[in-house]
Amino acid sequence: MDRIKRLIDLMDEKAFSAYLLTSSENLYYFTGFKGDGVAIVMSDGTVKLYTLPLYYESAVLHAIQGVDVIKTKTQDMFKEELTEELGKLVGDVGFDYMDAETFWGMTSKLRFLHLIPSPDIVWKLRSIKDEKELENISKAAAISDVGMEVASDLISPGVTELDVKAELTEELLRCGADRVAFDIIVASGSKSSLPHGGPGNRQIQNGDVVVIDLGASVNEYSADITRTFFVGNKVPEKVEKVYRLVEEAKNLAEEHMMAWVSASSVDRVARQFIENAGFGEYFIHSLGHGIGLSVHEPPRISPNSKDLLAENMVVTCEPGVYIPKQFGIRLEDTLLIKKDGVVRLSKAPFAPYIR
Amino acid sequence: MDRIKRLIDLMDEKAFSAYLLTSSENLYYFTGFKGDGVAIVMSDGTVKLYTLPLYYESAVLHAIQGVDVIKTKTQDMFKEELTEELGKLVGDVGFDYMDAETFWGMTSKLRFLHLIPSPDIVWKLRSIKDEKELENISKAAAISDVGMEVASDLISPGVTELDVKAELTEELLRCGADRVAFDIIVASGSKSSLPHGGPGNRQIQNGDVVVIDLGASVNEYSADITRTFFVGNKVPEKVEKVYRLVEEAKNLAEEHMMAWVSASSVDRVARQFIENAGFGEYFIHSLGHGIGLSVHEPPRISPNSKDLLAENMVVTCEPGVYIPKQFGIRLEDTLLIKKDGVVRLSKAPFAPYIR
């Protein structure tokens, strides 16, 4: 109930009489239950978890002590039952997420309370990881490292991108991941210039740049790592140059990362270095993102981010340069923010040049 | 542009001056682009697709002719740029999905237009599959069938649930799936009574009931299939009885399925049969759901569904009986609705009793 207590403190600051947890990740974070439902957290500490018959047995099994699990009648009735329950509340009620249609429907029926989207207070808590969470992310990172070592063995002329993806997916699961954190990216040849290039039947060839982006999840917590490989002995000068540029940008940004530093300034360090080298137009995404129960979560490390880094945040640092129709290079690690710097949780070697 | 034309017809019926496509599946369905962005469809047929620099190259490559791809400045600016563009519109503007916070923010800034959640008109189109879509789903179902045959070989005493999941995941990808449609469920022993039991380190044992629920995705289209296995030679009477009950309920419901039949009446056929046998309280979810680009999409086949079945819908039929702390049994196929009945797209044999 420790997390619930801290949520209530933040609710008090906003004068919320209650707060609705609707996302499955937030339900898991605050109640221990994995599945669909809605929890109503009252400012007096009462927590009612509404869930479908489908999830009821599992909710009773996994919900932490003090959470009152309530079985709703049917899927169709879920919103109606919940709206009725909310009708008993008054004042400002915060919530994490709701789609506009549900929000509109509820707001028109609940005349004595004011529903206020307020995911920020949840992120304030979730963005700072505790010991157990760090253990899970570290395990996920270690499994991802093994995946990357296997990738480095697998990538060779004649193998298809989809084969590499299939093998790596199995490897992560075999090594103890509950699941892959996201669909593994294997982008070879000129397709490496598409940051999210989905693997296809293309056979990897001599002379290819190959970007591999993968992550394992352990107990719902994810890691995220990217390495870029080259297939062949003779690395073209331009590839070598861009690789070193991205590597150096990443190192510079990481040196700049520590508690109390603004996320936007970290992005700027990497971006300006790449711009100064004349490749600014090809760095077409943010430098990084928080990671935990979600693969992408606050803080955002981007040019206009308003976030500050803080101790025990876990973030990625992933500069990339993508030259359309030629090749792309991205390097990414999962990092723990400490008072005076970062600790790399992912540790796969940077060995881009293979067979 | 055929789908866009039909969307415009439906927009006209609602007197929308424009419609916003925000979900990545809807963007793919209407524009061919896979990624994040927002498309504004005007009633005169103009389509503007706003996307981040990250996705721009891919959007230009994949968007169908007639779609104007616009690169927004940065992730941080996306909402601002979009809101500015929307400021040029007037009247009622429909959209598929938006989270309440974005909706609230936009509504307060856009005083001359009225944003109206209206996912229904998209589902009207997406729920009826065309030939190419049916081909993709059929391929996904065939790959899922192979997965299930492999499952039937794999399941034996001593193997862990996670091993089975790892092997099956790789198998689906090797057989040509782009990805698994959802995290494969392997629930053994008493855990089979949890409909969404996540696989763990539990070793499968003699005497176990094992529920396997898996699906492949091909070109973004998914199939969904469940089989229940028994490990051992001597099937307990109760397991046998419940298995036959679920199988018969499924057959009865499928016989009842055809165009113009109400989805709720199909659910009722299965539910009443299971209730009459005294197991009603253990059938704790809906009978089925539409499937396509989403694993769960309209129509809903549930007690209070208002949907009608129609020709060329693809749906699942998946009755289940879950006896807490004992065992659960679910059988599921992916089915194509025709004028006079259904065609089973998934065809894995029902062979529950193995070694």
Side-chain angles (χ1 to χ4, degrees):
Chain A
M1 295 298 281
D2 206 43
R3 289 173 179 174
I4 295 278
K5 275 197 198 108
R6 277 180 284 150
L7 178 62
I8 290 171
D9 288 343
L10 295 174
M11 284 162 57
D12 283 349
E13 283 178 23
K14 297 217 173 192
F16 289 156
S17 61
Y19 191 89
L20 310 185
L21 300 165
T22 71
S23 90
S24 58
E25 288 162 359
N26 286 338
L27 288 172
Y28 179 64
Y29 184 80
F30 288 103
T31 75
F33 160 65
K34 289 181 217 174
D36 294 339
V38 173
I40 306 181
V41 180
M42 303 294 297
S43 51
D44 68 0
T46 319
V47 183
K48 289 184 179 175
L49 169 59
Y50 290 80
T51 190
L52 294 167
L54 171 63
Y55 292 108
Y56 181 73
E57 201 197 342
S58 166
V60 170
L61 206 66
H62 293 116
I64 58 171
Q65 247 197 337
V67 170
D68 188 12
V69 181
I70 295 155
K71 177 159 56 172
T72 59
K73 280 187 214 93
T74 67
Q75 199 167 351
D76 311 272
M77 296 297 293
F78 190 82
K79 271 184 204 171
E80 280 75 359
E81 283 183 59
L82 189 69
T83 307
E84 198 185 311
E85 185 63 28
L86 291 176
K88 299 173 191 163
L89 306 177
V90 289
D92 289 352
V93 173
F95 64 87
D96 53 0
Y97 298 102
M98 206 179 289
D99 81 272
E101 195 172 17
T102 307
F103 175 70
W104 195 344
M106 283 203 174
T107 297
S108 66
K109 276 179 204 147
L110 299 167
R111 302 196 171 272
F112 298 104
L113 68 82
H114 193 192
L115 283 172
I116 299 174
S118 185
D120 52 318
I121 69 175
V122 165
W123 286 120
K124 216 165 177 169
L125 301 176
R126 275 182 55 187
S127 62
I128 311 295
K129 270 67 182 178
D130 67 24
E131 218 169 299
K132 186 73 203 153
E133 291 179 292
L134 291 176
E135 201 180 289
N136 287 325
I137 300 175
S138 300
K139 273 188 202 162
I143 293 171
S144 307
D145 286 344
V146 175
M148 206 52 91
E149 301 250 25
V150 171
S152 126
D153 288 340
L154 279 175
I155 296 169
S156 54
V159 181
T160 70
E161 294 170 338
L162 279 170
D163 280 340
V164 174
K165 173 179 162 178
E167 188 82 22
L168 293 179
T169 302
E170 197 203 2
E171 185 65 30
L172 297 183
L173 296 175
R174 289 264 185 222
C175 288
D178 318 322
R179 53 185 171 82
V180 290
F182 49 87
D183 230 30
I184 295 175
I185 293 172
V186 181
S188 69
S190 65
K191 244 174 67 183
S192 61
S193 74
L194 303 173
H196 284 190
N201 282 318
R202 184 181 184 283
Q203 285 187 345
I204 290 170
Q205 293 166 24
N206 234 316
D208 272 358
V209 170
V210 184
V211 173
I212 307 263
D213 189 344
L214 59 79
S217 293
V218 170
N219 294 326
E220 309 300 321
Y221 285 84
S222 297
D224 192 355
I225 177 172
T226 305
R227 292 291 182 265
T228 301
F229 300 91
F230 181 77
V231 185
N233 298 315
K234 227 177 125 46
V235 185
E237 210 174 299
K238 190 170 182 185
V239 172
E240 172 88 36
K241 182 178 169 186
V242 171
Y243 189 95
R244 295 298 162 208
L245 178 70
V246 171
E247 193 179 27
E248 186 62 19
K250 181 166 176 292
N251 288 337
L252 287 173
E254 288 179 15
E255 280 165 24
H256 192 68
M257 282 172 152
M258 62 186 77
W260 298 106
V261 162
S262 73
S264 63
S265 75
V266 177
D267 181 283
R268 201 179 312 121
V269 166
R271 202 167 298 277
Q272 235 155 35
F273 184 75
I274 291 172
E275 275 170 10
N276 291 345
F279 289 89
E281 64 178 306
Y282 303 125
F283 180 17
I284 53 179
H285 54 67
S286 306
L287 182 68
H289 53 83
I291 184 164
L293 288 172
S294 298
V295 177
H296 293 93
E297 58 176 53
R300 295 174 51 202
I301 307 183
S302 65
N304 299 305
S305 175
K306 306 224 164 16
D307 297 328
L308 280 185
L309 298 186
E311 197 169 2
N312 293 333
M313 282 182 169
V314 177
V315 302
T316 69
C317 180
E318 47 178 315
V321 167
Y322 310 90
I323 308 177
K325 297 183 178 60
Q326 295 184 31
F327 66 90
I329 283 169
R330 176 168 71 254
L331 296 172
E332 174 185 32
D333 277 304
T334 298
L335 311 164
L336 168 62
I337 306 289
K338 301 304 293 178
K339 220 160 47 181
D340 305 311
V342 296
V343 177
R344 271 195 199 169
L345 302 182
S346 53
K347 294 165 183 160
F350 288 79
Y353 307 136
I354 52 162
R355 74 199 61 106
Chain B
M1 296 295 282
D2 206 43
R3 290 173 177 172
I4 296 278
K5 275 197 196 107
R6 276 180 285 149
L7 178 62
I8 291 171
D9 287 343
L10 294 174
M11 285 162 57
D12 283 350
E13 282 176 25
K14 296 218 174 191
F16 289 156
S17 61
Y19 191 89
L20 311 184
L21 300 165
T22 71
S23 90
S24 58
E25 288 163 0
N26 286 338
L27 288 172
Y28 179 64
Y29 184 80
F30 287 104
T31 76
F33 159 65
K34 288 182 220 175
D36 293 340
V38 173
I40 306 181
V41 180
M42 304 293 297
S43 50
D44 67 1
T46 319
V47 183
K48 288 185 181 175
L49 169 58
Y50 290 80
T51 190
L52 294 166
L54 172 63
Y55 292 108
Y56 180 73
E57 201 196 343
S58 166
V60 169
L61 206 65
H62 293 116
I64 57 172
Q65 245 197 339
V67 170
D68 188 11
V69 181
I70 295 156
K71 177 159 54 172
T72 59
K73 280 186 215 92
T74 67
Q75 199 167 349
D76 311 272
M77 295 298 292
F78 190 82
K79 270 185 206 170
E80 280 75 359
E81 284 183 58
L82 190 69
T83 308
E84 197 185 312
E85 185 62 28
L86 291 176
K88 299 173 192 164
L89 305 177
V90 289
D92 288 353
V93 172
F95 65 86
D96 51 1
Y97 297 103
M98 207 179 289
D99 80 272
E101 194 171 18
T102 308
F103 175 70
W104 194 343
M106 282 201 175
T107 297
S108 66
K109 275 179 204 147
L110 300 167
R111 302 196 170 273
F112 297 105
L113 66 81
H114 193 191
L115 283 172
I116 299 174
S118 186
D120 52 318
I121 68 175
V122 164
W123 286 119
K124 216 166 177 169
L125 301 176
R126 274 181 55 187
S127 63
I128 311 294
K129 270 65 181 178
D130 66 24
E131 217 169 301
K132 186 74 203 153
E133 291 179 291
L134 292 177
E135 203 179 288
N136 287 325
I137 300 174
S138 299
K139 274 187 201 162
I143 294 171
S144 307
D145 286 343
V146 175
M148 206 50 92
E149 301 249 26
V150 171
S152 128
D153 288 340
L154 280 174
I155 295 168
S156 54
V159 180
T160 71
E161 295 170 339
L162 278 169
D163 280 340
V164 174
K165 173 178 161 178
E167 187 83 22
L168 293 180
T169 302
E170 196 202 2
E171 185 66 30
L172 297 184
L173 295 175
R174 289 263 186 225
C175 288
D178 317 323
R179 54 186 171 81
V180 290
F182 49 87
D183 231 30
I184 295 175
I185 294 172
V186 181
S188 69
S190 66
K191 243 174 67 184
S192 60
S193 74
L194 303 173
H196 285 189
N201 283 318
R202 184 181 183 282
Q203 286 188 344
I204 291 170
Q205 292 167 22
N206 234 317
D208 272 359
V209 169
V210 184
V211 173
I212 307 261
D213 189 344
L214 58 80
S217 292
V218 170
N219 294 325
E220 309 300 323
Y221 285 84
S222 297
D224 192 354
I225 177 171
T226 305
R227 293 291 183 266
T228 300
F229 300 91
F230 181 77
V231 185
N233 299 314
K234 228 177 126 36
V235 184
E237 210 174 298
K238 191 170 181 186
V239 172
E240 171 88 37
K241 183 180 167 185
V242 172
Y243 189 94
R244 294 301 161 206
L245 178 70
V246 171
E247 192 178 29
E248 186 62 18
K250 181 165 176 291
N251 288 337
L252 287 173
E254 287 179 14
E255 281 165 24
H256 191 67
M257 283 173 152
M258 62 186 77
W260 298 106
V261 162
S262 73
S264 63
S265 74
V266 177
D267 182 284
R268 201 179 313 124
V269 166
R271 201 166 300 274
Q272 235 154 35
F273 184 74
I274 291 172
E275 276 170 11
N276 291 345
F279 289 88
E281 64 177 306
Y282 303 125
F283 179 17
I284 53 180
H285 54 66
S286 306
L287 181 68
H289 53 82
I291 184 165
L293 289 172
S294 299
V295 177
H296 293 93
E297 58 176 52
R300 296 175 51 201
I301 307 184
S302 66
N304 299 305
S305 174
K306 305 223 165 16
D307 297 327
L308 279 185
L309 298 186
E311 196 170 2
N312 293 333
M313 282 182 168
V314 177
V315 302
T316 68
C317 179
E318 46 178 315
V321 167
Y322 310 90
I323 307 177
K325 299 185 177 57
Q326 296 185 31
F327 66 91
I329 283 169
R330 176 168 70 254
L331 297 172
E332 174 187 31
D333 277 302
T334 298
L335 310 164
L336 168 62
I337 307 289
K338 301 303 294 179
K339 221 161 44 181
D340 305 310
V342 296
V343 178
R344 271 195 198 168
L345 301 182
S346 53
K347 293 165 183 158
F350 288 79
Y353 307 136
I354 52 162
R355 74 197 62 105

